[in-house]
Amino acid sequence: MVTTEVTVSPEDVKASRVAERVPDPCIVVIFGASGDLTKRKLLPALYHLEQAGLLPANFAVVGVARRPLKDEFVNDMRDGIIKGGGVEADDPMLREFLGKVNYHAMNFDDPGGYVRLNSLLETLDRKYGTNGHRLFYLATAPDYFSEIVHQLGAHGMAKSEKGAVRCIIEKPFGHDLQSARRLNDEVNEVLSEDQIFRIDHYLGKETVQNILVFRFANGIFEPIWNRNYIDHVRITAAESIGIEGRGPFYEKAGALRDVVQNHVMELLSFVAMEPPGSFFSAPIRMEKVKVWKAIQPIKMEDTVRGQYGPGIVGGKQVVGYRQEDRVNPQSSTETFAALRLHIENWRWAGVPFYVRAGKRLAERFTDITIQFKQPPTMLFKDNVEASKCGEIQPNIISMRIQPNEGISLRFAAKTPGPSMQSCPVMMDFDYAAAFGVSSANGYERLLLDAMLGDSTLFSHRDGVEATWALMTPILEEWAAHPPTDFPNYAAGSWGPAAAGALLARDGRQWRRQ
Ligand code: BG6
């Protein structure tokens, strides 16, 4: 109903990107390169950076995996870029880019493989002028993270006299507090903290970064962003997809480990943190960790877990979790988790944060809703009965992280006619409409930042441990008391009834349930 005032044209957006810093020459070495992530996300992201003129001219990629691939690897990457990047097959820039993509087969625990890899990298240094600059990307199964880092150290590849050596480590970073600490210790034996980039691709999403711009670049929101005006906050990370053939991984993970400990906690920290002193890595990290540490230990009655049974998603019949490939037919793994959290600090005392995440829900929908308190007196309440819209609804700010990225504000407006009746209306900002570009896949920004050595949008040791410290007691309790009611929601629904009850007992509700 309300139009967005556009002050930035697509050309402005493009120009501002090109004006950003281009990293030093670099070889990106991806371990676990035969996996889906490389083809679907990483190579398309690198290619987009190339198209935007943001990659250095002296650049190369080396995919590392066990299988003996070579041309197949490059062809596979080509397909991935064409599909994932909306690129024409005969794009000359693509041909040139693929000429810089190499493959190296080795077992991750084979020292000889690292010797050969090192000599390949030195050859590529001479060919491409990359001068010892390396960005290692660990996209393997998590069991190999520590091994690879140690092998890199043992073969003199973790440091370089000539160029910067950095290492991106994929999630999951540990599977509980103890294992996360151990992994941190092991990795820190070889790499200094400023070489390590623990990736959470949610932090690369424009709409997630925009939470900070929305809060701290506008004068009108921050004064009301606290317990005096906000009634509660809801965060939903709903997916309609299932586990996508990742049975063995998901059986060990579950929704709490896979999405809540990282993506959801990152969203929460951006909503709840204090303004950092500056937009640099250390102050932002400090404010985020302060939020996580202020969250009270989570009571079991404030947790809900669920697992999907068969159902209908997007008009198609789908199987239940226990019938998925390589999943235990009696599995207790949760595919849904909801929590009620309390941040015990000056700003948030008494304001509940409800979060939920799940697979095979009714739709893909990641959203943060800030619900405000009602006005102190209801001047128009006598007209409520006559109004076709019923009760006056509280104001909400809804940040749509994906899809249909944008932000809406709900407020009451007078309906036309002689009496003072009102209906809720939405003031809407839509990313694609306002900027003429759709928001990029989070990996572009994060790969670029890692090449530039900027760790602002990456997780740090203290943050990873703080979020695991919150989740681990729940995981332990859940493991000690296996669920008796799984599956407890149908695929295509909004999750188990208990997730609705978690809010209903406080007189609140999820917007979609
Ligand atoms: C990943 C999880 O980290 O995030 C997946 O392992 C999940 O299970 C994915 O599907 C969600 O990411 P996005 O960007 O599609 O919301």
Side-chain angles (χ1 to χ4, degrees):
M1 62 137 268
V2 176
T3 52
T4 313
E5 194 175 317
V6 184
T7 50
V8 182
S9 71
E11 285 67 37
D12 290 334
V13 174
K14 214 166 147 199
S16 76
R17 286 188 180 163
V18 175
E20 285 170 15
R21 222 153 42 96
V22 172
D24 287 333
C26 184
I27 305 181
V28 175
V29 184
I30 305 171
F31 285 91
S34 57
D36 227 27
L37 182 75
T38 311
K39 174 179 176 178
R40 285 200 309 120
K41 305 278 186 186
L42 303 184
L43 265 287
L46 286 171
Y47 188 65
H48 280 153
L49 291 173
E50 174 83 338
Q51 283 179 312
L54 293 172
L55 284 187
N58 299 351
F59 175 80
V61 176
V62 179
V64 182
R66 271 163 295 191
R67 277 187 281 155
L69 307 164
K70 191 157 173 43
D71 292 349
E72 282 158 87
F73 178 73
V74 178
N75 290 339
D76 220 24
M77 296 305 115
R78 184 172 177 274
D79 291 350
I81 294 171
I82 291 170
K83 273 203 207 112
V87 177
E88 296 296 324
D90 56 358
D91 181 342
M93 190 187 261
L94 177 59
R95 215 172 315 125
E96 202 181 311
F97 178 80
L98 289 171
K100 300 178 190 174
V101 175
N102 305 268
Y103 183 75
H104 177 74
M106 62 178 268
N107 283 330
F108 304 132
D109 55 0
D110 169 23
Y114 291 85
V115 175
R116 289 194 302 280
L117 175 63
N118 203 13
S119 89
L120 170 67
L121 297 181
E122 281 168 5
T123 307
L124 295 177
D125 267 344
R126 288 189 291 276
K127 181 168 173 191
Y128 294 105
T130 39
N131 207 24
H133 293 277
R134 313 267 186 263
L135 176 62
F136 294 109
Y137 195 122
L138 309 195
T140 61
D143 296 349
Y144 289 110
F145 292 165
S146 181
E147 170 81 35
I148 294 170
V149 169
H150 274 89
Q151 293 278 3
L152 292 174
H155 292 85
M157 300 163 77
K159 301 263 178 320
S160 160
E161 306 268 283
K162 294 182 280 176
V165 178
R166 302 187 175 108
C167 185
I168 297 182
I169 304 181
E170 256 299 333
K171 64 177 274 284
F173 197 92
H175 62 271
D176 58 14
L177 178 58
Q178 206 192 359
S179 57
R181 272 195 187 134
R182 196 180 329 118
L183 183 56
N184 271 327
D185 287 344
E186 288 169 359
V187 167
N188 282 147
E189 281 167 15
V190 178
L191 301 168
S192 57
E193 193 59 24
D194 64 355
Q195 290 182 286
I196 306 170
F197 293 76
R198 297 172 193 79
I199 196 164
D200 181 320
H201 76 279
Y202 266 52
L203 291 180
K205 291 180 192 275
E206 300 278 10
T207 42
V208 175
Q209 294 160 36
N210 191 45
I211 301 169
L212 298 184
V213 174
F214 183 78
R215 287 188 57 197
F216 303 134
N218 294 296
I220 61 173
F221 303 117
E222 205 45 29
I224 55 168
W225 210 261
N226 57 49
R227 67 179 192 288
N228 298 324
Y229 299 94
I230 293 179
D231 181 72
H232 69 278
V233 176
R234 300 187 296 263
I235 301 179
T236 294
E239 296 184 86
S240 56
I241 56 169
I243 54 166
E244 307 260 277
R246 296 192 300 160
F249 160 78
Y250 204 84
E251 276 285 88
K252 286 202 239 154
L256 205 66
R257 288 190 172 95
D258 186 35
V259 168
V260 179
Q261 177 269 334
N262 35 72
H263 305 329
V264 172
M265 285 295 120
E266 290 289 351
L267 294 178
L268 180 140
S269 71
F270 274 18
V271 172
M273 70 195 249
E274 295 302 313
S278 61
F279 196 71
F280 288 115
S281 181
I284 292 185
R285 173 173 112 207
M286 190 177 76
E287 294 306 339
K288 283 165 50 176
V289 172
K290 271 160 63 183
V291 170
W292 293 321
K293 289 199 167 161
I295 296 177
Q296 295 298 288
I298 302 159
K299 297 194 192 112
M300 274 306 114
E301 69 252 34
D302 289 345
T303 73
V304 173
R305 56 182 154 166
Q307 186 192 73
Y308 62 87
I312 295 177
V313 179
K316 286 206 187 106
Q317 180 72 41
V318 299
V319 296
Y321 178 69
R322 290 177 176 184
Q323 292 80 51
E324 298 274 12
D325 185 27
R326 293 176 295 162
V327 165
N328 175 353
Q330 269 94 46
S331 176
S332 296
T333 299
E334 84 285 356
T335 58
F336 177 99
L339 306 174
R340 181 171 73 158
L341 306 165
H342 296 280
I343 304 174
E344 204 49 45
N345 64 15
W346 201 260
R347 184 189 285 263
W348 294 116
V351 180
F353 281 66
Y354 304 95
V355 306
R356 63 176 171 171
K359 298 253 180 221
R360 283 287 188 229
L361 296 179
E363 57 185 284
R364 179 170 184 248
F365 172 72
T366 304
D367 170 272
I368 300 169
T369 295
I370 318 291
Q371 183 155 322
F372 290 86
K373 294 183 174 168
Q374 293 279 34
T377 61
M378 286 289 189
L379 273 183
F380 308 110
K381 66 176 181 303
D382 294 343
N383 304 73
V384 161
E385 266 163 35
S387 164
K388 65 178 171 25
C389 301
E391 297 272 317
I392 294 178
Q393 304 286 320
N395 296 121
I396 57 173
I397 289 176
S398 161
M399 303 181 177
R400 294 185 303 278
I401 305 299
Q402 60 191 23
N404 309 323
E405 291 81 354
I407 298 180
S408 308
L409 167 67
R410 182 175 76 188
F411 61 99
K414 183 188 171 305
T415 51
S419 63
M420 288 302 278
Q421 293 173 23
S422 74
C423 276
V425 292
M426 297 302 264
M427 202 187 265
D428 205 23
F429 153 66
D430 178 285
Y431 247 87
F435 295 127
V437 286
S438 57
S439 107
N441 106 27
Y443 286 94
E444 289 172 24
R445 170 69 192 263
L446 297 176
L447 280 162
L448 183 66
D449 281 4
M451 281 185 254
L452 288 165
D454 180 350
S455 63
T456 309
L457 296 175
F458 289 84
S459 313
H460 295 261
R461 179 179 180 133
D462 40 3
V464 167
E465 292 181 8
T467 50
W468 275 123
L470 286 166
M471 299 301 139
T472 300
I474 305 174
L475 291 164
E476 286 171 354
E477 270 296 307
W478 282 359
H481 302 99
T484 50
D485 62 345
F486 276 10
N488 59 357
Y489 71 96
S493 70
W494 278 105
L502 182 72
L503 273 71
R505 70 176 199 233
D506 296 344
R508 300 179 175 119
Q509 61 177 42
W510 300 104
R511 218 158 124 221
R512 297 186 194 196
Q513 64 176 19

